[in-house]
Amino acid sequence: MNEIRNFCIIAHIDHGKSTLADRLLELTKTLSDRDLEAQVLDDMDLEKEKGITIKSHAIQMEHYKDGQKYVLNLIDTPGHVDFSYEVSRSIASCEGALLVVDATQGIQAQTISNLYLAIDHGLEIIPVLNKIDMESAMPDVVCDEVCNLLGCDPEDVFRVSARTGEGVAPILDAIVDRIPAPQGDPEAPLQALVFDSVFNSFRGVIAYFKVVNGSIRTGDKVKFFSTGQEYTADEVGVLKLKLQPAQEIPCGSVGYIISGIKSAAEVKVGDTITRVDKPCLKAISGFEEVKPMVFAGMYPVDASKFEELRSVLEKFQLNDASFVYEPESSLALGSGFRCGFLGLLHLEIVQERLFREFNMDVITTVPNVSYKVFTTQGDVLDVHNPSGMPAPTLIDHIEEPFIRAQIISKADFFGPIMKLCLDRRGTLVSQHFITADRVELNYDMPLSEIVFGFYDNLKTISKGYASFDYHITGYRPARLVRLDILLNGEPADALSSLIHEDNAYDFGRKMCVKLKDLIPRQQFDIPIQAAIGAKIIARETVKQVRKDVTAKCYGGDVTRKRKLLEKQKEGKKRMRQIGTVQVPQSAFMAVLKLD
């Protein structure tokens, strides 16, 4: 066990984690030159296209120091706030972390929140200053920031360029010297923490785990603690670039297990694996349960594919443990699922991955957050969906989730950022200057206000400099109303939303204008109305497509034209009574983009 080191790389988005991981793999000769490519651990097409890490990736390397061989298990983690659950799982299975800071940008919000997460788990932190080869780098200034944050000496901070490989080699020795070996008892009953899993259509569920106590061998009879299901370990092995079978995974190391599990529901991330003949007494206290922040309905485009969508979501949840779903039905869209996400980027990525990996096209409704509704009878209801709201006469009051938002920005953008937060019903909690020109602002804000475009607006007004991070602080009373959109007099429940009273009129007006552009013209007039209860607050009309029925009347009496037009009008009225309006998917997506 003294020869094993488990560590992860944490940083803000785009500070060079995956590139640094590439250099470490290169130096330890884990990959042949033929396999080397940029961001080699980002194995999804989507990750390469967007240039972000979505999944945390584990890989094993070997490093020789003073003639002694060490096994290094590296986990590369995502940097975006929407994937922070991946980071928390990686941190739970490590003893140390490389904290990467971009020398051109300095410390950002996600750097700080990931750092606190690592310190809470008692990890040894090795600070690394990246991108020192850039012309705009400020290594000395950023080094001082890091030393103030961590309370370390400037010589403890590694200055590297992950792109060119300059200064990376000493990090490997530091990992061996400074990160402690895993603690555990090799003779105790087996206890292994499942930190990730994937579904393989040929081999079933493959679970990735870290052995905390004992060891696991091929052929062992094992059981999963939370489900109590028993299996035979058909194959165990270590995670190189491909899965590499081994006879035994020793105490303290990281590996995978294939045991022919067919159903995705039988493996839970955070579960404990133990042996059947010599079980451990209690499960490992894993990481906290995930709390989804944003809810949206997902419906199959073709209603007959409901069961197919169910099995796809079940397999997908294996690979993305922060995604949750439950069945629901809608008047307009039929049967589907209510899904919970960690943020809007997460929602976008899930939708894209379902299409690419499972060829599943889905309609996504307007995202919203979860509210607590207190009724006059004294009940408390959790409402994720506007259609689940009780009648206004039965509601005593409604509470909405609040967040503590942490924004770090250049001091030049101080004013516009404060205005943005105040417009979104934020209240300033504290502000302090990290350096002479970098300021940290802490705001209390309703979660529903940041769901729509807040992050994009923040990036725009700060020219891309501001970084943003948040955590839930609890629920507070709010004046909310349900805004319905009526198409041809029928409520389109997929477009309904719960919204603050003060913003309802503006939002309803914008929705109607936007939908007028997106709904195709039909043979009859389509009124688009925004309503709160029985009160209509905005209206637009999509004009009908008409045939020129008077074309055959050349000259002659006006009453002949009038007769033909009246006849047409009667037909249009009948048509409107039986007509149904099809809402294109682009309309649902456009609502999310409303400024």
CSV table of all heavy atoms in Angstrom, one decimal, residues 227-247:
chain,number,residue,atom,x,y,z
A,227,THR,N,-28.3,-2.9,-2.1
A,227,THR,CA,-29.4,-3.7,-2.7
A,227,THR,C,-29.4,-5.2,-2.2
A,227,THR,O,-30.4,-5.9,-2.3
A,227,THR,CB,-29.2,-3.8,-4.3
A,227,THR,OG1,-27.9,-4.3,-4.5
A,227,THR,CG2,-29.3,-2.4,-4.9
A,228,GLY,N,-28.2,-5.6,-1.6
A,228,GLY,CA,-28.1,-6.9,-1.1
A,228,GLY,C,-28.0,-8.0,-2.1
A,228,GLY,O,-28.0,-9.2,-1.8
A,229,GLN,N,-27.8,-7.6,-3.4
A,229,GLN,CA,-27.7,-8.6,-4.5
A,229,GLN,C,-26.3,-9.2,-4.5
A,229,GLN,O,-25.3,-8.5,-4.2
A,229,GLN,CB,-27.9,-7.8,-5.9
A,229,GLN,CG,-29.3,-7.2,-6.0
A,229,GLN,CD,-30.3,-8.2,-6.5
A,229,GLN,OE1,-30.1,-9.4,-6.6
A,229,GLN,NE2,-31.5,-7.7,-6.9
A,230,GLU,N,-26.3,-10.5,-4.8
A,230,GLU,CA,-25.0,-11.2,-4.8
A,230,GLU,C,-24.6,-11.6,-6.3
A,230,GLU,O,-25.4,-11.9,-7.1
A,230,GLU,CB,-25.1,-12.5,-4.0
A,230,GLU,CG,-25.4,-12.2,-2.6
A,230,GLU,CD,-25.5,-13.5,-1.7
A,230,GLU,OE1,-25.3,-14.6,-2.2
A,230,GLU,OE2,-25.8,-13.3,-0.5
A,231,TYR,N,-23.3,-11.5,-6.5
A,231,TYR,CA,-22.7,-11.7,-7.9
A,231,TYR,C,-21.4,-12.4,-7.8
A,231,TYR,O,-20.7,-12.4,-6.7
A,231,TYR,CB,-22.5,-10.4,-8.7
A,231,TYR,CG,-23.7,-9.5,-8.7
A,231,TYR,CD1,-23.8,-8.4,-7.9
A,231,TYR,CD2,-24.7,-9.8,-9.7
A,231,TYR,CE1,-24.9,-7.6,-7.9
A,231,TYR,CE2,-25.8,-9.0,-9.7
A,231,TYR,CZ,-25.9,-7.9,-8.9
A,231,TYR,OH,-27.0,-7.1,-8.9
A,232,THR,N,-20.9,-13.0,-8.9
A,232,THR,CA,-19.5,-13.5,-9.0
A,232,THR,C,-18.7,-12.5,-9.7
A,232,THR,O,-19.2,-12.0,-10.8
A,232,THR,CB,-19.5,-14.8,-9.7
A,232,THR,OG1,-20.4,-15.7,-9.0
A,232,THR,CG2,-18.1,-15.4,-9.7
A,233,ALA,N,-17.5,-12.1,-9.2
A,233,ALA,CA,-16.7,-11.2,-9.9
A,233,ALA,C,-16.0,-11.9,-11.1
A,233,ALA,O,-15.0,-12.5,-11.0
A,233,ALA,CB,-15.6,-10.7,-9.0
A,234,ASP,N,-16.7,-11.8,-12.3
A,234,ASP,CA,-16.2,-12.5,-13.5
A,234,ASP,C,-14.8,-12.0,-13.9
A,234,ASP,O,-14.0,-12.7,-14.4
A,234,ASP,CB,-17.2,-12.4,-14.7
A,234,ASP,CG,-18.5,-13.0,-14.3
A,234,ASP,OD1,-18.5,-13.9,-13.5
A,234,ASP,OD2,-19.5,-12.5,-14.9
A,235,GLU,N,-14.7,-10.7,-13.7
A,235,GLU,CA,-13.4,-10.0,-14.1
A,235,GLU,C,-13.2,-8.8,-13.3
A,235,GLU,O,-14.1,-8.0,-13.1
A,235,GLU,CB,-13.5,-9.6,-15.6
A,235,GLU,CG,-12.2,-9.0,-16.1
A,235,GLU,CD,-12.3,-8.6,-17.6
A,235,GLU,OE1,-12.7,-9.4,-18.5
A,235,GLU,OE2,-12.0,-7.4,-17.9
A,236,VAL,N,-12.0,-8.7,-12.7
A,236,VAL,CA,-11.6,-7.4,-12.1
A,236,VAL,C,-10.4,-6.9,-12.8
A,236,VAL,O,-9.7,-7.7,-13.4
A,236,VAL,CB,-11.4,-7.5,-10.5
A,236,VAL,CG1,-12.7,-7.9,-9.8
A,236,VAL,CG2,-10.3,-8.5,-10.2
A,237,GLY,N,-10.1,-5.7,-12.7
A,237,GLY,CA,-8.9,-5.2,-13.3
A,237,GLY,C,-8.6,-3.7,-13.0
A,237,GLY,O,-9.3,-3.1,-12.2
A,238,VAL,N,-7.6,-3.2,-13.7
A,238,VAL,CA,-7.2,-1.8,-13.5
A,238,VAL,C,-7.6,-0.9,-14.7
A,238,VAL,O,-7.8,-1.4,-15.8
A,238,VAL,CB,-5.7,-1.6,-13.2
A,238,VAL,CG1,-5.4,-2.3,-11.9
A,238,VAL,CG2,-4.9,-2.1,-14.3
A,239,LEU,N,-7.8,0.4,-14.4
A,239,LEU,CA,-8.2,1.3,-15.5
A,239,LEU,C,-7.0,1.9,-16.2
A,239,LEU,O,-6.4,2.9,-15.6
A,239,LEU,CB,-9.1,2.4,-14.9
A,239,LEU,CG,-10.3,1.9,-14.1
A,239,LEU,CD1,-10.8,2.9,-13.1
A,239,LEU,CD2,-11.4,1.6,-15.1
A,240,LYS,N,-6.5,1.3,-17.2
A,240,LYS,CA,-5.6,2.0,-18.1
A,240,LYS,C,-6.4,2.7,-19.2
A,240,LYS,O,-7.6,2.9,-18.9
A,240,LYS,CB,-4.6,1.0,-18.7
A,240,LYS,CG,-3.7,0.3,-17.7
A,240,LYS,CD,-2.6,1.3,-17.2
A,240,LYS,CE,-1.7,0.7,-16.1
A,240,LYS,NZ,-0.7,-0.1,-16.6
A,241,LEU,N,-5.9,3.0,-20.3
A,241,LEU,CA,-6.7,3.7,-21.3
A,241,LEU,C,-7.8,2.7,-21.8
A,241,LEU,O,-9.0,3.1,-22.0
A,241,LEU,CB,-5.8,4.1,-22.5
A,241,LEU,CG,-6.5,5.0,-23.5
A,241,LEU,CD1,-7.0,6.3,-22.8
A,241,LEU,CD2,-5.6,5.4,-24.7
A,242,LYS,N,-7.5,1.4,-21.8
A,242,LYS,CA,-8.5,0.4,-22.0
A,242,LYS,C,-8.6,-0.4,-20.7
A,242,LYS,O,-7.7,-0.3,-19.8
A,242,LYS,CB,-8.1,-0.6,-23.1
A,242,LYS,CG,-7.8,0.1,-24.5
A,242,LYS,CD,-9.1,0.1,-25.3
A,242,LYS,CE,-8.8,0.6,-26.7
A,242,LYS,NZ,-8.3,1.9,-26.9
A,243,LEU,N,-9.7,-1.1,-20.4
A,243,LEU,CA,-9.8,-1.9,-19.2
A,243,LEU,C,-8.7,-3.0,-19.3
A,243,LEU,O,-8.7,-3.7,-20.3
A,243,LEU,CB,-11.2,-2.5,-19.1
A,243,LEU,CG,-12.3,-1.5,-19.1
A,243,LEU,CD1,-13.7,-2.2,-19.0
A,243,LEU,CD2,-12.2,-0.5,-17.9
A,244,GLN,N,-8.0,-3.2,-18.2
A,244,GLN,CA,-6.9,-4.2,-18.2
A,244,GLN,C,-7.1,-5.2,-17.1
A,244,GLN,O,-7.0,-4.9,-15.9
A,244,GLN,CB,-5.5,-3.5,-18.0
A,244,GLN,CG,-4.4,-4.3,-18.4
A,244,GLN,CD,-3.1,-3.5,-18.5
A,244,GLN,OE1,-3.1,-2.3,-18.9
A,244,GLN,NE2,-2.0,-4.1,-18.0
A,245,PRO,N,-7.5,-6.5,-17.4
A,245,PRO,CA,-7.8,-7.4,-16.4
A,245,PRO,C,-6.6,-7.7,-15.5
A,245,PRO,O,-5.5,-7.7,-15.9
A,245,PRO,CB,-8.2,-8.7,-17.2
A,245,PRO,CG,-8.5,-8.2,-18.6
A,245,PRO,CD,-7.7,-7.0,-18.8
A,246,ALA,N,-6.9,-8.0,-14.2
A,246,ALA,CA,-5.9,-8.4,-13.3
A,246,ALA,C,-6.4,-9.5,-12.4
A,246,ALA,O,-7.6,-9.6,-12.2
A,246,ALA,CB,-5.4,-7.2,-12.4
A,247,GLN,N,-5.5,-10.2,-11.7
A,247,GLN,CA,-6.0,-11.3,-10.8
A,247,GLN,C,-6.6,-10.7,-9.5
A,247,GLN,O,-7.5,-11.2,-9.0
A,247,GLN,CB,-4.8,-12.2,-10.4
A,247,GLN,CG,-4.6,-13.3,-11.4
A,247,GLN,CD,-5.9,-14.1,-11.8
A,247,GLN,OE1,-6.4,-13.9,-12.9
A,247,GLN,NE2,-6.4,-14.9,-10.9
